[in-house]
Amino acid sequence: MSARVALELAGIERHYGQGDTLLTILKGVDFTLKRGETVALVAPSGTGKSTLLHIAGLLEHPDAGEVIVNGHACQGLSDDERTAIRRGEIGFVYQFHHLLPEFSALENIMMPQLIAGLSRAEARERAAQLLDYMRIGHRADHRPSELSGGEQQRVAIARAVANAPLVLLADEPTGNLDPETAGYVFEALEALARQSGLAALIATHNHELAGLMDRRVTIEDGRIRELA
């Protein structure tokens, strides 16, 4: 695998049982994501976007195939080993920010760093830098309930990249934002990818934003297909 490849999915299959029926969601998905690349995943609801992201992020096991993160094949790893890769190499952003309501914006971003073993001083400095980068440094001491939707999502992005992951997976990160705010949140995501070498796979229904990314893919008949 090329040193520039951050994430590779090889022959991924996923099935679900519905009574006596076996429902196949993913049918041998092959996909490669390079460092510094932003890829839009544009597909209708129910086609397996979230399932694909969960498998790519090691939150769910495929029924067949292999997930390779930064050159490490993950299918045969223990839960602890998968957790270690997920914590160090992968960041997640969802449509709903899932910030901890009792903590400030700064503290929310510090949390994954503290879990990873950084000192409070190091975590605080990194969190403050990320908030400034997201242009909301002045909101560092505010709790999520005191932030706008766009501000909350920018905090969520900062939290997702706080431990400098190699891969960022985002599931409709701008889905509940107005167009102007969505545009800025996307610009922040793209700038992070460009400047840090982060590889980003972003599921979105926003075709305008998808068109600004390096590539667009969809899920068709259980497989990934490139879009023009």
Side-chain angles (χ1 to χ4, degrees):
M1 187 174 70
S2 166
R4 293 202 68 243
V5 174
L7 171 70
E8 183 177 353
L9 305 179
I12 296 296
E13 296 183 12
R14 191 69 175 101
H15 317 283
Y16 295 100
Q18 282 191 343
D20 296 330
T21 303
L22 187 65
L23 182 63
T24 299
I25 302 296
L26 302 175
K27 303 177 183 177
V29 167
D30 294 312
F31 175 73
T32 299
L33 183 66
K34 296 180 180 178
R35 297 168 186 256
E37 182 180 43
T38 58
V39 177
L41 176 56
V42 184
S45 298
T47 55
K49 292 196 306 294
S50 294
T51 296
L52 182 67
L53 290 172
H54 287 167
I55 289 173
L58 307 183
L59 293 171
E60 188 173 333
H61 286 272
D63 294 304
E66 183 63 87
V67 179
I68 304 168
V69 180
N70 197 19
H72 297 102
C74 300
Q75 189 62 1
L77 300 181
S78 68
D79 286 344
D80 286 346
E81 289 170 328
R82 288 167 64 89
T83 297
I85 290 178
R86 192 165 59 240
R87 184 181 296 155
E89 303 280 9
I90 302 171
F92 295 90
V93 182
Y94 298 99
Q95 179 174 349
F96 301 100
H97 52 78
H98 300 300
L99 298 175
L100 298 171
E102 65 271 30
F103 294 104
S104 69
L106 187 78
E107 291 166 338
N108 265 279
I109 301 169
M110 289 174 62
M111 201 65 64
Q113 300 177 78
L114 296 174
I115 293 171
L118 266 69
S119 69
R120 289 193 65 84
E122 290 174 311
R124 178 176 291 274
E125 181 179 3
R126 167 78 169 159
Q129 289 173 347
L130 284 168
L131 283 172
D132 285 340
Y133 184 82
M134 292 288 177
R135 301 184 193 173
I136 48 172
H138 61 293
R139 307 289 274 166
D141 295 328
H142 290 71
R143 293 186 179 184
S145 61
E146 301 170 313
L147 302 174
S148 69
E151 288 171 338
Q152 291 172 2
Q153 197 62 305
R154 278 181 269 172
V155 173
I157 292 170
R159 180 182 61 182
V161 301
N163 285 337
L166 183 64
V167 176
L168 181 71
L169 303 172
D171 195 355
E172 298 290 346
T174 61
N176 62 337
L177 304 176
D178 65 81
E180 183 177 354
T181 304
Y184 180 73
V185 168
F186 170 74
E187 287 173 10
L189 263 174
E190 188 175 42
L192 277 170
R194 296 281 182 269
Q195 294 183 16
S196 66
L198 184 71
L201 176 60
I202 303 171
T204 180
H205 283 105
N206 189 320
H207 289 270
E208 183 177 349
L209 293 184
L212 299 175
M213 299 189 211
D214 295 318
R215 288 192 287 140
R216 295 186 307 139
V217 299
T218 190
I219 299 176
E220 193 173 271
D221 193 29
R223 294 181 176 86
I224 282 189
R225 182 174 67 84
E226 295 276 343
L227 294 172

